[in-house]
Amino acid sequence: GQRSSPGWTEGRSAPHLARREQRRPGSGQGATVARFKDLSFAHSQAHGDLLSEVSFSIRQGSKVTIMGQNGAGKSTIIKLLSRTLRPDEGDVILGSGETVACAMQTMPAHCREMAVKAFFAEMLALSYRGPSLEDHELEAKIALALQQVVLEAPGDRIIKSFRGGQQARLPLAAVLIQEPSILLLDEPTNNLDHEGLWHLQCMIQMPDKTVVVITATTRTSSTRSRTRCSTSTSTREKSSSTTGTTLW
């Protein structure tokens, strides 16, 4: 038979792709929430495939670490999961009802000039599909997101007024306010202070979240011995080794 067109299964971002991964009734924790199927991707034909016929699955509530050298394709996997990139071949399949959000590595320059309330309103608009929020509802969501990264700030405080370690926590809060079921973290330890690292690890361990962490180091798992990832994946150009349940 002929190979189906490559792409994602999320209808809002790619309406021409109809397939969707269905959860089994009553499957509960451990059900597959995201899957790469025979996926290949190249940034340019001249350099060949960065990812070649990759297949793996991510289960609900799992904590996945993808480690590898620069240029091995770690961030590309994140961008494929978050629909920023489209595969050349194969599919990225999301479970029905699953939502994905990726934390920014650094605060964009234009966001540093924004007030806290305006910044979070912009971040929430990326994924929120419900009715328009009243001011007090938005403020409650902001307060909860800031509480999760141990920050307090009035809505009119300008982002650039936060010191470095505090400002580095705001992208984490910005992804939490979107309430994704699958949380993507690309080099999340960059620029975080000691307290921020501790709370990042607590966030990763939240049982209701499926978390995928991209890192070139072991800092996320070694800074505190309490943090454990259920799956560890190492990527290299056109070859990889794995432990755990995620397979290439």
Side-chain angles (χ1 to χ4, degrees), residues 221-242:
S221 58
S222 64
T223 303
R224 293 280 185 173
S225 60
R226 287 179 56 190
T227 297
R228 295 183 181 275
C229 293
S230 62
T231 306
S232 180
T233 303
S234 178
T235 65
R236 299 179 181 86
E237 292 184 10
K238 300 186 180 180
S239 66
S240 60
S241 61
T242 65

Side-chain angles (χ1 to χ4, degrees), residues 160-224:
K160 66 181 180 182
S161 70
F162 289 91
R163 62 179 175 83
Q166 290 178 329
Q167 191 175 124
R169 296 184 221 172
L170 289 171
L172 297 177
V175 77
L176 290 175
I177 202 172
Q178 298 175 53
E179 299 180 349
S181 59
I182 303 174
L183 180 60
L184 309 179
L185 303 173
D186 193 351
E187 298 288 357
T189 60
N190 288 350
N191 304 314
L192 282 178
D193 54 17
H194 184 78
E195 188 177 9
L197 283 171
W198 171 244
H199 291 288
L200 166 67
Q201 293 175 34
C202 290
M203 181 180 72
I204 290 173
Q205 294 180 60
M206 292 188 296
D208 62 329
K209 284 283 188 289
T210 303
V211 184
V212 179
V213 179
I214 295 295
T215 181
T217 71
T218 59
R219 189 181 183 194
T220 303
S221 58
S222 64
T223 303
R224 293 280 185 173

Side-chain angles (χ1 to χ4, degrees), residues 18-134:
R19 282 180 33 242
R20 184 182 293 270
E21 186 85 343
Q22 297 293 335
R23 290 185 185 174
R24 298 184 303 275
S27 58
Q29 188 170 6
T32 298
V33 295
R35 183 156 61 98
F36 276 33
K37 183 179 179 182
D38 301 326
L39 185 145
S40 296
F41 177 85
H43 287 291
S44 70
Q45 293 302 318
H47 292 88
D49 286 347
L50 180 62
L51 302 173
S52 180
E53 297 183 359
V54 170
S55 294
F56 69 91
S57 61
I58 299 172
R59 295 196 173 275
Q60 184 181 24
S62 63
K63 318 301 178 186
V64 181
T65 301
I66 303 177
M67 298 178 63
Q69 298 175 350
N70 291 339
K74 305 183 305 297
S75 294
T76 298
I77 291 171
I78 287 285
K79 290 175 181 178
L80 288 161
L81 277 169
S82 62
R83 304 182 299 276
T84 305
L85 293 176
R86 179 192 180 101
D88 297 324
E89 298 288 343
D91 296 284
V92 180
I93 305 171
L94 293 183
S96 178
E98 298 298 335
T99 56
V100 179
C102 182
M104 299 175 289
Q105 284 193 18
T106 58
M107 185 67 67
H110 78 278
C111 291
R112 295 191 181 100
E113 304 297 328
M114 299 173 69
V116 166
K117 186 174 180 178
F119 168 69
F120 279 102
E122 182 174 296
M123 294 299 103
L124 188 59
L126 296 175
S127 62
Y128 185 68
R129 298 293 181 267
S132 298
L133 295 174
E134 299 288 342

